[in-house]
Amino acid sequence: MKTFAILILAASAHLPVHAGAAGLTPAPGPHAVGLRVAQLYDYSRAMDEQLDAFGKPLATPQARPIQALVWYPARQSQAAPMRVVDYRQAALSDVNFGLPAADSAKQRAAWLAGPQKSRYEAATLAVRDAAPAAGKYPVLVYAPSFAEAADENLDLCEYLASQGYVVIASRSLGARSKVMTDDVEGVEAQAADITFLVNHAHTLPQADLDKVAVAGFSWGGLSNVFAAARSSRIKALVSLDGSIRFYQKIWSAAGDVRPARTTVPMLSLGAASLPFEELAQKNNRPTASYLNSMKYSDVYFGTMHPMQHGHFSSLYGLRLARDDEFGDFRRADVEQAYRAVALYVHRFFDAYLKQDDKALAFLRQSPARNGIAPQVMAMRFQPALAAVPTEAAFLRAFAAAGYCDAQALYARMRDDSPDFALSPLHLNTLGYQLLGGKHARGALELFKLATHIEPKYGNA
């Protein structure tokens, strides 16, 4: 194993490292990084009444509290950068906005007096409330793992901001309380939080709302797929050992979350697959792969050989982890793999949000060609197999054909994609539009198609 570790480090040693980020990311981009903490409320949802261990009610707002961490490209500043303890202290009040300052200060002092003092004191890239840089930047929402805080991947989020992105994250909260639940209600609550954060980006002058993507780790790598299935605004997805790989019972229970509806590019970076026996023991053994079935999307499958599931969190899996928590590998091996993760996430977003041809070429060649040893990372690319069949595509083809043969056109599109469907009700409405526009033959074609799809549909 020692020889294996030396090979990993030697083959990947030329990847640039930024010491200020604890060696966890490549060299930062051209921008300084600012951090803003925004305490927000979603007034469309409320939390249930919360009690303490003694049965006494806690102060519960009549809205859903969402504390957002916003990293952004900033102007250079002489102010002191954030430290890990600053992030941890901010997380103390990410649900209880009224946490007494004395309680927060007491916990901060305990961290700085504890055995991991040096790790809590470590500096990061971001400067709190730094002046923002000029310009517009793509928006990335980061979705944390199950019930975890927004700062669990602070290094990745800071690094992406340095590369010219506005990055927003909030805690993984359950639907009705702070406690996340491993069911459809729980994942839909986090998906709704993702949408809330995208909407909050409208208030940020730097945000380019035409370029929005979501990255998620573990449970967040399931919630982001739910969010994308319900919003055409999301243009790309990143899954860091995402639960979309394992929780078929959850995504199958949501009728509108299907591979055929996930039509945006996906980068999936994960640990080596769990053995069949372990998946069966966890009762999570899937019978179908969501990612393999995404035939309308470019999908990249990366396997990070030295990394276990928890290592995809830079805070808990690396910065605050003990040296004996890396299995058969050394800390340095896993940190090297995490740098490769950060690099690939950055290049993926550059390719699909910034339309960077060099970044796309980077993704399409082997990791070894990009300076990452095969012992560290393997990559498989699954290109989109077909164009997305949509109602809009059907109507354009129908008009181009002179409003003829609607049933034949529908049959061809169904042959290409059995998931393709049209609404008889909407076809009926469109038929009346054609009648009003003096296209009676075309209207008849749509009425006939509506009754072909639903023979008992009397209106058509």
Side-chain angles (χ1 to χ4, degrees):
M1 183 53 65
K2 182 181 292 185
T3 301
F4 184 39
I6 292 172
L7 286 172
I8 290 176
L9 293 174
S12 304
H14 71 277
L15 278 179
V17 172
H18 176 58
L24 298 180
T25 65
H31 301 281
V33 178
L35 172 72
R36 186 179 303 109
V37 180
Q39 293 186 328
L40 312 169
Y41 287 104
D42 182 350
Y43 290 98
S44 70
R45 298 178 288 166
M47 309 291 272
D48 288 346
E49 181 183 19
Q50 306 296 303
L51 304 178
D52 64 16
F54 302 99
K56 296 180 180 179
L58 301 173
T60 305
Q62 295 301 308
R64 184 177 179 85
I66 298 179
Q67 178 171 280
L69 300 186
V70 183
W71 294 271
Y72 53 92
R75 301 176 190 172
Q76 292 293 336
S77 171
Q78 298 302 313
M82 292 282 290
R83 294 185 293 167
V84 172
V85 71
D86 298 323
Y87 277 105
R88 295 282 68 218
Q89 185 175 17
L92 293 174
S93 60
D94 61 2
V95 176
N96 180 10
F97 294 172
L99 180 71
D103 292 350
S104 176
K106 182 178 179 180
Q107 179 59 67
R108 178 189 180 95
W111 283 323
L112 294 178
Q116 292 188 307
K117 174 183 177 181
S118 61
R119 294 183 181 180
Y120 279 105
E121 288 181 330
T124 72
L125 280 179
V127 171
R128 182 76 178 262
D129 297 323
K136 293 279 191 178
Y137 304 93
V139 174
L140 308 178
V141 175
Y142 174 77
S145 59
F146 192 89
E148 288 298 348
D151 63 349
E152 70 170 9
N153 256 319
L154 66 95
D155 297 284
L156 176 63
C157 295
E158 289 185 342
Y159 171 68
L160 292 170
S162 80
Q163 299 291 350
Y165 292 91
V166 174
V167 186
I168 314 175
S170 66
R171 175 179 282 278
S172 171
L173 291 173
R176 304 176 187 276
S177 71
K178 182 176 180 179
V179 180
M180 177 56 78
T181 54
D182 61 343
D183 51 24
V184 173
E185 184 179 46
V187 73
E188 287 187 338
Q190 188 169 15
D193 289 345
I194 291 170
T195 300
F196 178 87
L197 295 178
V198 172
N199 290 337
H200 174 65
H202 278 277
T203 69
L204 306 177
Q206 289 178 302
D208 183 350
L209 273 301
D210 291 327
K211 299 174 181 178
V212 176
V214 187
F217 165 43
S218 189
W219 192 252
L222 174 62
S223 302
N224 65 347
V225 176
F226 272 59
R230 295 165 180 173
S231 174
S232 59
R233 175 171 286 167
I234 296 172
K235 305 301 184 185
L237 293 171
V238 165
S239 172
L240 302 179
D241 216 29
S243 294
I244 190 65
R245 299 173 67 195
F246 308 114
Y247 281 86
Q248 181 184 355
K249 64 181 181 180
I250 290 181
W251 59 257
S252 295
D256 60 341
V257 180
R258 289 289 181 271
R261 292 178 62 93
T262 311
T263 58
V264 297
M266 164 80 87
L267 170 65
S268 173
L269 299 174
S273 298
L274 293 173
F276 177 91
E277 292 77 9
E278 187 171 346
L279 284 171
Q281 188 179 46
K282 293 177 179 293
N283 198 30
N284 287 335
R285 178 168 56 86
T287 59
S289 167
Y290 195 100
L291 302 183
N292 281 344
S293 302
M294 289 173 58
K295 61 183 179 181
Y296 304 120
S297 308
D298 288 348
V299 184
Y300 300 82
F301 299 84
T303 301
M304 314 309 297
H305 296 300
M307 299 178 73
Q308 298 174 10
H309 182 71
H311 298 151
F312 288 85
S313 162
S314 69
L315 179 60
Y316 305 114
L318 297 173
R319 281 185 177 271
L320 300 180
R322 302 187 310 271
D323 290 338
D324 63 356
E325 294 184 83
F326 296 95
D328 293 333
F329 296 89
R330 299 181 305 173
R331 176 186 289 274
D333 305 332
V334 178
E335 288 178 349
Q336 178 64 52
Y338 186 89
R339 282 194 289 276
V341 167
L343 179 64
Y344 265 79
V345 171
H346 163 217
R347 301 301 276 164
F348 174 78
F349 285 136
D350 277 1
Y352 286 97
L353 293 187
K354 297 182 179 179
Q355 287 73 53
D356 184 329
D357 291 338
K358 291 183 179 179
L360 187 62
F362 176 97
L363 294 173
R364 299 286 173 84
Q365 63 188 15
S366 70
R369 293 282 300 274
N370 295 326
I372 301 171
Q375 298 94 334
V376 177
M377 181 181 186
M379 176 65 78
R380 174 171 68 89
F381 172 51
Q382 174 181 290
L385 300 178
V388 181
T390 63
E391 180 187 89
F394 168 84
L395 293 173
R396 280 193 291 268
F398 180 55
Y403 304 102
C404 298
D405 301 322
Q407 289 188 46
L409 174 60
Y410 174 74
R412 288 197 299 272
M413 295 183 74
R414 289 277 293 176
D415 287 342
D416 291 340
S417 175
D419 300 309
F420 176 64
L422 293 173
S423 163
L425 177 63
H426 197 213
L427 287 173
N428 187 63
T429 300
L430 294 170
Y432 275 105
Q433 289 181 4
L434 287 176
L435 276 179
K438 309 296 185 182
H439 289 286
R441 184 180 299 276
L444 181 60
E445 286 287 312
L446 293 187
F447 294 145
K448 289 166 60 179
L449 177 57
T451 56
H452 169 73
I453 296 172
E454 179 47 73
K456 295 182 179 180
Y457 182 45
N459 200 5

